[in-house]
Amino acid sequence: MNFLPRKIRVLIVDDSALVRKLLKDIISGDPDMEVAGLATNGVEAIRAVAELKPDVMTMDIHMPEMDGLTALEYIMRKMPLPVVMLSAMAQRGAAATLKALELGAVDFIAKPSHYPSAVKEVREEVILKIKTAFHARDRVKAGYPKHKERRKTLPAVKPGRREKLVVIGASAGGPRALAEILPMFPRDMPAAMLIVQHMPGVFTRSFAARLNTLSELPVREAEDGEEIKPGTVLVAPGGKDLIVSPDRSGLGRVELMDSANRAGATPRIDTTMITAAETFGPRTIGVIMTGMGSDGARGMERIKKNQGITIAQDEASCLVFGMPKVAIDRGFVDWVVSLEKIPEKVLELLQLTE
């Protein structure tokens, strides 16, 4: 059944005829969507956006004549609309994809590894991410997320008597939002931080490396068995659920296990938050940020039950107000703040979690 007032009109941009056909078949087969047009490179994409005025665009990164990043930058400045990028599952593709997210793309889809069975492999993800992008159209057109000057780092807070843990969960819109707030945390922050961003495995190492260049705190992709230490940031690897386990020192360690393969929703935020709450108890701060779906709500509930503190990003600053809304509506959130106020609130609350 079509629950939308009209069908979502999608422009497909890819130099591969096979990929264009794959996406066309998926989009045309969904009752809520239709193909507005096809383009084979960035020049054609710019022309098609102006002429066809689609609701959403899917765009390849590597194309002849004009690549997807160049076209995306122009489109987001001149005639912004929600864009879902198509990315190769390789390290080079990861770096370009992260750049696309910084330029304003809502999300990305990793190109399937094989055809023709690829239709089944990516169908659910393509439909979900296009519809998510469509629902973010007002914020995209309004210029969110905006490019902002890098803010000064907030002043440090006094270290507490016991180790503390901050767990941040995000999905669509998260990479750019995290790149904005992470530089605001001081180098001597008296807590460890775990970031769980929905993202495939090949991308999270590049994502962590990118955050590391922006942050006063050291940021890296988490490794199985490593200790959770104050003043460090660990990013959950894509395809793995990050479990927080106690160790003999009374702090905590990271354990990684294969994650259930659910489109667009791994690593699972709930898994990390629930195990963090069990290990760190009232010394846990949970933060749920922009993204579609309900992942993180159960984790926020467990943190509250274990006397930790929970924060949600507010609707006005979210690219996609899905995950925060669910947690707020269910009563699992102590504080609702704008994106730019999250670091300040976290540092304030760290003083209270003794």
Side-chain angles (χ1 to χ4, degrees):
M1 180 178 293
N2 189 342
F3 293 98
L4 299 170
R6 60 176 176 80
K7 289 190 175 184
I8 301 169
R9 300 174 64 252
V10 184
L11 173 65
I12 299 170
V13 185
D14 203 293
D15 63 325
S16 166
L18 189 60
V19 173
R20 291 197 302 272
K21 184 180 187 306
L22 167 67
L23 292 174
K24 184 177 180 180
D25 290 346
I26 292 173
I27 292 166
S28 300
D30 186 271
D32 293 331
M33 301 191 292
E34 64 183 8
V35 176
L38 303 170
T40 64
N41 59 54
V43 173
E44 292 182 7
I46 291 171
R47 186 181 305 122
V49 170
E51 294 175 356
L52 301 174
K53 295 180 171 52
D55 297 311
V56 179
M57 177 170 62
T58 68
M59 185 157 60
D60 190 16
I61 292 177
H62 302 290
M63 297 180 292
E65 193 167 351
M66 180 186 287
D67 63 64
L69 292 179
T70 303
L72 176 67
E73 185 171 15
Y74 179 88
I75 289 167
M76 297 309 291
R77 282 192 292 109
K78 299 292 186 179
M79 39 190 173
L81 81 161
V83 179
V84 178
M85 304 299 292
L86 268 72
S87 173
M89 287 288 285
Q91 200 64 32
R92 188 168 75 100
T97 301
L98 292 173
K99 178 64 175 178
L101 296 174
E102 290 179 8
L103 290 172
V106 173
D107 211 331
F108 69 94
I109 299 164
K111 284 190 173 181
S113 57
H114 53 278
Y115 300 95
S117 59
V119 174
K120 182 178 180 181
E121 179 183 329
V122 302
R123 183 179 184 278
E124 181 183 353
E125 183 179 12
V126 168
I127 292 172
L128 173 64
K129 291 192 173 180
I130 289 176
K131 290 183 178 180
T132 299
F134 175 74
H135 288 295
R137 67 194 183 281
D138 291 340
R139 286 176 175 79
V140 172
K141 290 181 179 180
Y144 179 86
K146 297 180 183 297
H147 286 288
K148 297 183 179 180
E149 294 182 5
R150 181 169 173 173
R151 294 184 175 86
K152 292 182 179 179
T153 304
L154 292 168
V157 297
K158 295 179 181 179
R161 295 185 296 275
R162 303 182 67 195
E163 306 298 348
K164 303 163 189 176
L165 180 64
V166 178
V167 183
I168 300 178
S171 188
R176 188 160 179 171
L178 286 162
E180 180 175 333
I181 66 170
L182 207 56
M184 299 173 67
F185 287 98
R187 182 186 301 273
D188 52 354
M189 187 177 80
M193 183 182 295
L194 301 177
I195 293 175
V196 187
Q197 166 69 49
H198 292 164
M199 188 175 282
V202 73
F203 296 93
T204 45
R205 179 158 294 184
S206 291
F207 177 53
R210 171 60 177 158
L211 292 179
N212 187 58
T213 66
L214 300 174
S215 174
E216 295 287 332
L217 297 163
V219 185
R220 63 180 182 274
E221 188 180 53
E223 296 183 3
D224 189 42
E226 73 174 296
E227 185 180 352
I228 296 171
K229 297 179 179 179
T232 61
V233 182
L234 299 179
V235 176
K240 301 284 185 180
D241 285 343
L242 189 155
I243 296 169
V244 178
S245 299
D247 65 9
R248 294 178 182 176
S249 70
L251 302 179
R253 290 191 178 274
V254 166
E255 292 184 13
L256 302 176
M257 69 175 186
D258 290 338
S259 182
N261 185 22
R262 296 181 295 135
T266 59
R268 289 178 293 184
I269 300 167
D270 280 329
T271 300
T272 302
M273 285 189 170
I274 289 170
T275 56
E278 294 300 320
T279 301
F280 280 77
R283 295 173 291 133
T284 311
I285 296 176
V287 182
I288 194 71
M289 291 172 50
T290 175
M292 180 66 81
S294 61
D295 192 18
R298 289 177 56 240
M300 298 280 275
E301 178 185 25
R302 187 65 61 87
I303 290 172
K304 274 188 67 70
K305 284 186 175 179
N306 286 30
Q307 300 181 342
I309 303 174
T310 56
I311 302 169
Q313 185 180 349
D314 70 0
E315 182 175 6
S317 65
C318 277
L319 181 62
V320 181
F321 190 56
M323 299 190 310
K325 184 179 189 302
V326 173
I328 293 167
D329 288 349
R330 294 181 183 177
F332 303 153
V333 175
D334 295 311
W335 299 90
V336 179
V337 299
S338 66
L339 175 65
E340 63 183 15
K341 295 294 185 182
I342 288 175
E344 181 180 342
K345 179 57 66 175
V346 168
L347 293 174
E348 172 191 326
L349 294 173
L350 283 174
Q351 301 284 59
L352 306 177
T353 54
E354 291 298 328

